[in-house]
């Protein structure tokens, strides 16, 4: 079976993982120094957020050069060394690819701005004339995902499209040069040994060429998300990937209206896997969690793709906080990870969740970097709260993040109690819960079979000898008979008393 069908992939947000040189910013050497930690944790692969040269208007998702390393993070040899060392430890490397847009500092876009309207180099991007007598109104009503309109006017009067920040102009994927460029980028990194790509905004490359206004009518097709033409790109890319040895993989960031639409991206000649956002966004309710599991498995089965499970990433509020925060949120988060890791398919972990880190909600305005915060005038706090650098040890001012006294976002003093070093020796810690669950998960196999349970409780078998039970409610419930007669393998709480499962608790049994 292909490794990616059952792998656990750990997301490394390079800015915030580990700083090797004391400048307060994480880097590739820092990541390399912590590879043994990730191996001991028990993951199979690492997904690295963008480390390419970039003005960092969106923390690296505005790429100026797709074939190099930003000096903040090191040099190209550091990427090579990281790939080599990871492979030596049995870890695979997946890197972020950003094909929807480049940086406004990319040489292509600089050339486009310098050229007159209609020039071939402008055809790589989406420049359009404005509306109104003087062309001073945007070409349509499209809005940016980061707030405000999705169009910025160039000095010569034309407008260019940016579905995100103005510093992130959208590429035109009907242009042959764009397609050829990304084929070459794929080969460049595959030749350097990466094991796959996470595709940013994979549902957004195709746009309706008529550029119509977004309609408010229910059921209307969206003019720039999830258009069928995008699938031609991924069929083309899949042929490239399949030409390389080593079972390389694509995973898509795909926000669509239904799991049925998601499945179209995962047909055998397109992407391998995609993030399961229905599961991530499901509320802390038994029925909602089960629906997310069932919907995913039902939709993906016909195309032969595995489901993926994820609770947090660099774009969403950490799930300890989403699940209520404080001790309640942590108990629910610990239970949720046992649910997630017991499910068939692959799983994604976001750095720091194994430490039980909450969202940092009280960052000072002056330190926030997310363009979402800037473009909404602070109405949306943005995503900085889930990107605060990790606490490794209480022995330094930056909690072991690096040799310097500071980190690019300030760490809460309370995180001194959550460091990896402190949790390492505590058998009841969240870190050791993750380690135990990941070790046991390697022996799980077989299909999922749900058991009949009372409301607020989920229970399922994997094969004939494993049972997972999760109590989503607040009060203790009597365990199913199968669990009462089985052997307890692992629990998310300190203990499971007798025949009852406490609220916000999950347990694994051999039975």
């Amino acid at each position: 079976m292909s490794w990616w069908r059952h792998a656990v992939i750990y997301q490394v947000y390079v800015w915030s993982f580990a700083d090797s040189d004391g400048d307060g910013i994480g880097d590739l050497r820092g990541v390399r120094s912590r590879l043994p930690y990730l191996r001991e944790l028990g993951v199979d692969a690492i997904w690295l957020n963008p480390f390419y040269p970039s003005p960092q208007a969106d923390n690296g998702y505005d790429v100026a050069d797709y074939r190099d390393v930003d000096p903040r993070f090191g040099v190209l040899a550091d990427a090579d060394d990281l790939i080599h060392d990871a492979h030596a430890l049995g870890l695979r490397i997946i890197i972020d690819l950003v094909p929807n847009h480049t940086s406004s500092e990319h040489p292509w876009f600089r050339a486009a701005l310098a050229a007159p309207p209609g020039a071939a180099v402008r055809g790589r991007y989406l420049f359009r004339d404005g509306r109104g007598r003087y062309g001073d109104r945007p070409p349509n009503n499209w809005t940016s995902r980061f707030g405000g309109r999705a169009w910025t006017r160039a000095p010569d009067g034309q407008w260019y499209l940016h579905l995100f920040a103005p510093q992130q102009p959208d590429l035109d994927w009907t242009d042959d040069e764009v397609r050829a460029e990304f084929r070459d980028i794929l080969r460049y990194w595959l030749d350097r040994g990466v094991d796959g790509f996470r595709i940013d905004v994979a549902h957004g490359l195709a746009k309706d060429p008529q550029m119509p206004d977004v309609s408010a009518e229910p059921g209307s097709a969206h003019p720039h998300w999830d258009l069928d033409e995008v699938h031609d790109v991924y069929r083309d890319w899949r042929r490239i990937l399949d030409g390389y040895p080593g079972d390389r993989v694509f995973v898509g960031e795909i926000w669509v209206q239904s799991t049925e639409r998601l499945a179209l991206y995962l047909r055998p000649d397109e992407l391998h896997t995609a993030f399961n956002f229905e599961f991530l966004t499901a509320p802390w309710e038994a029925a909602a969690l089960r629906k997310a599991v069932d919907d995913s498995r039902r939709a993906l089965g016909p195309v032969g793709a595995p489901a993926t499970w994820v609770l947090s990433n660099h774009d969403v509020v950490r799930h300890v906080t989403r699940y209520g925060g404080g001790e309640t949120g942590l108990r629910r988060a610990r239970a949720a990870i046992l649910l997630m890791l017991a499910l068939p398919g692959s799983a994604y972990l976001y750095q720091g969740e194994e430490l039980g880190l909450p969202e940092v909600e009280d960052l000072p305005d002056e330190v926030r970097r997310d363009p979402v915060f800037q473009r909404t005038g602070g109405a949306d706090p943005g995503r900085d709260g889930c990107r605060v650098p990790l606490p490794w040890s209480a022995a330094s001012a930056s909690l072991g993040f690096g040799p310097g006294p500071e980190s690019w976002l300030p760490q809460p003093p309370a995180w001194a109690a959550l460091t990896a070093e402190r949790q390492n020796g505590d058998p009841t810690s969240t870190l050791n819960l993750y380690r135990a669950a990941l070790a046991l998960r390697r022996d799980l196999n077989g299909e999922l079979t749900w058991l009949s349970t009372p409301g607020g409780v989920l229970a399922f078998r994997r094969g004939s000898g494993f049972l997972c039970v999760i109590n989503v409610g607040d009060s203790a419930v009597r365990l199913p008979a199968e669990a009462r007669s089985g052997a307890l393998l692992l629990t998310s709480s300190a203990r499971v008393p007798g025949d009852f499962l406490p609220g916000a608790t999950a347990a694994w049994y051999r039975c």
Side-chain angles (χ1 to χ4, degrees):
M1 179 185 292
S2 295
W3 68 274
W4 45 268
R5 290 185 170 274
H6 53 80
V8 177
I9 298 97
Y10 184 99
Q11 180 186 357
V12 167
Y13 194 74
V14 179
W15 271 85
S16 301
F17 189 67
D19 170 21
S20 71
D21 57 13
D23 65 358
I25 297 172
D27 47 51
L28 294 183
R29 289 188 179 185
V31 177
R32 188 180 169 204
S33 73
R34 297 294 184 178
L35 289 176
Y37 167 87
L38 296 176
R39 180 59 180 166
E40 183 181 3
L41 182 61
V43 301
D44 302 293
I46 303 164
W47 154 33
L48 297 162
N49 286 98
F51 51 76
Y52 314 109
S54 165
Q56 305 295 332
D58 185 22
N59 277 31
Y61 283 92
D62 49 319
V63 180
D65 182 352
Y66 290 85
R67 297 178 183 84
D68 205 349
V69 172
D70 192 292
R72 296 171 181 85
F73 305 136
V75 296
L76 193 56
D78 293 323
D80 292 336
D81 290 342
L82 176 58
I83 294 167
H84 176 271
D85 287 3
H87 287 169
L89 290 171
L91 298 168
R92 299 176 189 261
I93 295 289
I94 296 170
I95 65 172
D96 230 312
L97 187 64
V98 187
N100 180 71
H101 46 263
T102 71
S103 166
S104 56
E105 295 299 311
H106 192 286
W108 275 13
F109 193 70
R110 288 181 173 180
L113 283 183
V121 294
R122 281 209 171 179
R124 299 162 174 165
Y125 294 90
L126 291 159
F127 281 83
R128 295 292 186 272
D129 293 330
R131 293 189 290 190
R133 182 178 178 182
Y134 302 104
D136 56 350
R137 292 165 45 213
N140 59 34
N141 69 348
W142 295 2
T143 56
S144 164
R145 291 287 294 169
F146 288 170
R149 63 191 179 195
W151 296 92
T152 290
R153 201 174 192 191
D156 59 27
Q158 277 202 314
W159 298 74
Y160 70 87
L161 178 69
H162 52 86
L163 294 180
F164 294 88
Q167 298 92 337
Q168 295 168 292
D170 280 45
L171 290 162
D172 185 345
W173 273 88
T174 67
D175 185 85
D176 290 340
E177 282 191 276
V178 171
R179 294 196 177 218
E181 171 72 354
F182 276 84
R183 291 187 198 105
D184 190 70
I185 291 167
L186 289 173
R187 294 188 183 100
Y188 179 85
W189 288 105
L190 290 167
D191 289 342
R192 300 196 88 90
V194 302
D195 299 285
F197 301 88
R198 177 265 190 185
I199 304 168
D200 186 58
V201 197
H203 58 295
L205 307 192
K207 280 82 173 176
D208 186 329
Q210 301 302 314
M211 295 280 178
D213 282 350
V214 174
S215 173
E217 291 295 322
S220 298
H222 201 287
H224 61 69
W225 297 135
D226 189 30
L227 272 65
D228 288 339
E229 289 78 6
V230 76
H231 298 286
D232 292 338
V233 175
Y234 301 130
R235 292 188 187 97
D236 183 28
W237 287 10
R238 181 62 179 266
R239 288 190 290 270
I240 294 172
L241 207 69
D242 286 349
Y244 281 79
D247 210 6
R248 318 288 178 103
V249 65
F250 285 126
V251 56
E253 181 203 27
I254 305 168
W255 292 91
V256 288
Q257 294 298 313
S258 68
T259 49
E260 287 73 22
R261 290 295 301 179
L262 182 69
L264 296 178
Y265 290 78
L266 306 181
R267 288 172 288 194
D269 62 344
E270 294 191 45
L271 306 182
H272 299 80
T273 64
F275 294 123
N276 188 334
F277 293 122
E278 183 179 359
F279 185 77
L280 183 151
T281 58
W284 182 251
E285 298 169 1
L289 291 167
R290 175 164 176 175
K291 181 179 184 299
V293 172
D294 288 343
D295 286 353
S296 301
R297 298 178 68 241
R298 181 174 54 252
L300 301 185
V303 296
T308 64
W309 313 107
V310 59
L311 291 169
S312 282
N313 65 33
H314 67 293
D315 282 334
V316 300
V317 173
R318 286 187 177 272
H319 61 278
V320 166
T321 299
R322 293 203 321 272
Y323 287 156
E327 288 301 315
T328 296
L330 182 59
R331 281 179 61 87
R332 291 173 175 177
R334 287 169 59 103
I337 195 59
L338 290 197
L339 166 64
M340 184 177 97
L341 291 179
L343 295 169
S346 58
Y348 282 79
L349 309 179
Y350 178 50
Q351 64 175 45
E353 70 170 79
E354 77 277 12
L355 304 178
L357 298 185
E359 186 84 355
V360 180
E361 299 181 289
D362 58 353
L363 289 169
D365 290 354
E366 61 268 20
V367 305
R368 293 183 181 271
R369 290 183 53 94
D370 192 347
V372 173
F373 176 80
Q374 307 298 334
R375 284 179 60 81
T376 62
D380 187 328
R383 302 158 294 175
D384 292 313
C386 66
R387 301 173 177 183
V388 174
L390 295 192
W392 292 98
S393 167
S396 73
S398 65
L399 297 179
F401 173 62
E406 297 179 346
S407 55
W408 69 279
L409 287 174
Q411 302 152 305
W415 280 17
L418 300 177
T419 65
E421 181 181 72
R422 181 163 183 171
Q423 293 196 39
N424 185 55
D426 178 0
T428 67
S429 70
T430 302
L431 174 59
N432 281 313
L433 174 69
Y434 271 69
R435 287 173 174 163
L438 290 169
L440 290 169
R441 186 182 187 274
R442 294 189 179 276
D443 294 328
L444 297 187
N445 54 63
E447 280 300 309
L448 181 153
T449 304
W450 292 106
L451 275 62
S452 178
T453 54
V457 177
L458 297 174
F460 59 88
R461 287 186 176 276
R462 288 284 307 279
S464 59
F466 174 83
L467 176 66
C468 174
V469 186
I470 177 170
N471 179 6
V472 181
D474 297 323
S475 302
V477 296
R478 186 170 172 80
L479 285 161
E482 293 91 339
R484 297 197 303 271
S485 62
L488 179 64
L489 296 174
L490 187 62
T491 173
S492 64
S493 295
R495 64 188 183 91
V496 175
D499 293 343
F500 289 83
L501 189 66
T505 299
W508 290 0
Y509 295 87
R510 181 71 64 199
C511 55

